[in-house]
Amino acid sequence: MRCSFALFLLGVPTVFAQPAPNQSAATTQNPANGNPGVPFVRENYSKFEYRIPMRDGVKLFTSVYIPKDVFADGKTYPIMLTRTPYNVRPYGVDQYRDNLGPSIAFAREKFIFVYQDVRGRFMSEGDYVLLHPHNPKKGTADTDESTDTYDTIDWLIKNLPGCVPKVGMWGISQPGFYVTAGMIDAHPALVAVSPQAPVTDYYLGDDSYHNGAFMLAHRFSFYQGFRQRIGDPAPPPTTVPFDYGTPDGYQFLLEMGSLANADEKYFKHNSPYWLTNLAHPTYDEFWQSHAIWKYLKGIKPAVMLVGGWYDNQDLQGPLRQHEFMEKNTPPPVDMLVMGPWTHGGFARGDGDRVGNVNFGSKTGVFYRERIEFPFFLYHLKGKGDGKFPKAWVFETGTNQWLQFDTWPPKIAKTKTLYLAPKGDLTWQQSSSAGYDEYLSDPNKPVPYIAHVVLGMRSDYMTEDQRFAASRPDVLVYRTPALDHDVTIFGPISVDLKVSTTGTDSDFDVKLIDVYPGDYPDYNNPPPPASAPGAPPRVEPANAIKMGGYQQLVRGEPFRGKFRKSFEQPIPFEPGKPDRITFRMPDIAHTFREGHRIMVQVQSSWFPLTDRNPQKFLDIPKALSTDFVKAFERVYTGGPDGSHITVQITESPQ
């Protein structure tokens, strides 16, 4: 294998010479957002556009940025590749991006940067398949995203001028899925990969379903914009954002009624992806065939998985991939990076806060400069010492970066927190058995956030839960004020003993950090002192008081009919106690001395998740008359009461 210089000089017939219509790019430099700016990119890189043939003859549109000193001085560079269903604009060889690679450091260091529309999207030929299933038994002409990645890399290293046959691949969210697919049966030149917030299993905890509950707010807004291409390859069409007609997403989606109404009212039969989600409310063969993580065995490239503790879309993806690979012939480098970020928040901005919670340092800058860039720099250019921990983890609460040789770390010990009578949360099992009860009304569901918002806020996962704690349909359990720090690493196992007067109900569980009443307002400093003789300056009415703040640390819904299996739901027997057990995604959080640990339990979380009618039926087909009230009980104390199990670094005192 070698990269070609002569091919460029001879000319490549698949280069596009005309810009696509309706394309524009920013022209200002913006280093704060990791963008060097169009002038910098134009000055240092030449742009080319190719249609790269796949083994079945389909051609994929590919934009390539090559450092100009390849042609002036004969220099050579490795390749940074990303494949995306979202488009690689601006289209046209005289239209330039204002950024290249994962961060500004890559553009300054210089690589060959390659961006590709995946099969069936925008300017690429073929048919698009949402998260195309991997085919482990392919014939020579069969294709999937693994083969498309292989064929792309093979063409690049044989045809691009000035390239070194070493390729790094990265992508966030759905592009992260394509990185994961590409590292299966990888091309030998693919030496380093970074699936970042990767879509991994739409049903098991990623974008579409969490424990059987449909992620309504996000899926509704996402599929309003993510539409199927109609006709031949073309640049992105000009679109008009969906008009909700109100700033209140809670009321909008409540008035929509059953999920069955959404297609006729709002999608107008033009979103097969929305309909596909609703057609598969169980973990059936369709979802199982799309689960890419099951094929991550014997991976050859070095891997850096990246995720955010507050990722509202794909938190489970990097954790699931890392856990599976570690148990199934892990790659030589298998590094997990988890920081205090929302979805893709590590790639932009300072990363010093999420919502009302301040982390005291620029965690995004640290990641881009001290973790991400050194990883690719070593594997593609041989610079650096090549020493990478198994896990780079930001511990919230204490707000510090930690390195571990395993995840979860071996220092963590299993401890149990028991839901006890009178709203207590204890480290010792209560001998007094009882239950707490509330009335769940799906026509008056518990909101997931206190504000009036549309869709799913990116920062809801640190939101203050005081508004929910005061509702009669939310159960609250809490510890006394802690007399020492308690650090929890890893997943949280939930074991609830419950009953319902319905035949199906959701049970949503939230783990919360309750701040002491005198906690300082780091995020809302007091207004400056008034000048002598001037009226006193008044603090804004919407300023958040952090004293007593109930910070959501982790929360997950669970649809009760899936308590035995996500493949075969079963109804509840009204009034009969049963068990719900599930695992919430990992955390790395310290509950500081003086804080309290709280658990909240409720049966709706709207419109974050769709409403459960509290009848055993196919929920996407429910009628308005199917939504009924139910009394929910959570049993506490005794030998089999409800509890959660966590991994902590020391025994509670």
Side-chain angles (χ1 to χ4, degrees), residues 59-82:
K59 295 182 176 64
L60 304 188
F61 183 89
T62 309
S63 293
V64 179
Y65 295 79
I66 300 177
K68 289 185 175 180
D69 54 16
V70 165
F71 312 109
D73 304 320
K75 290 191 175 182
T76 58
Y77 294 97
I79 296 168
M80 287 290 295
L81 167 66
T82 190

Side-chain angles (χ1 to χ4, degrees), residues 123-167:
M123 293 291 284
S124 285
E125 298 175 354
D127 297 322
Y128 173 71
V129 177
L130 184 66
L131 305 182
H132 197 297
H134 180 74
N135 180 3
K137 299 180 180 180
K138 292 181 287 290
T140 56
D142 294 332
T143 65
D144 56 19
E145 298 306 335
S146 174
T147 65
D148 280 359
T149 306
Y150 191 104
D151 294 349
T152 296
I153 292 173
D154 199 58
W155 189 95
L156 292 171
I157 65 173
K158 291 176 179 176
N159 292 279
L160 286 186
C163 75
V164 173
K166 284 189 176 182
V167 179

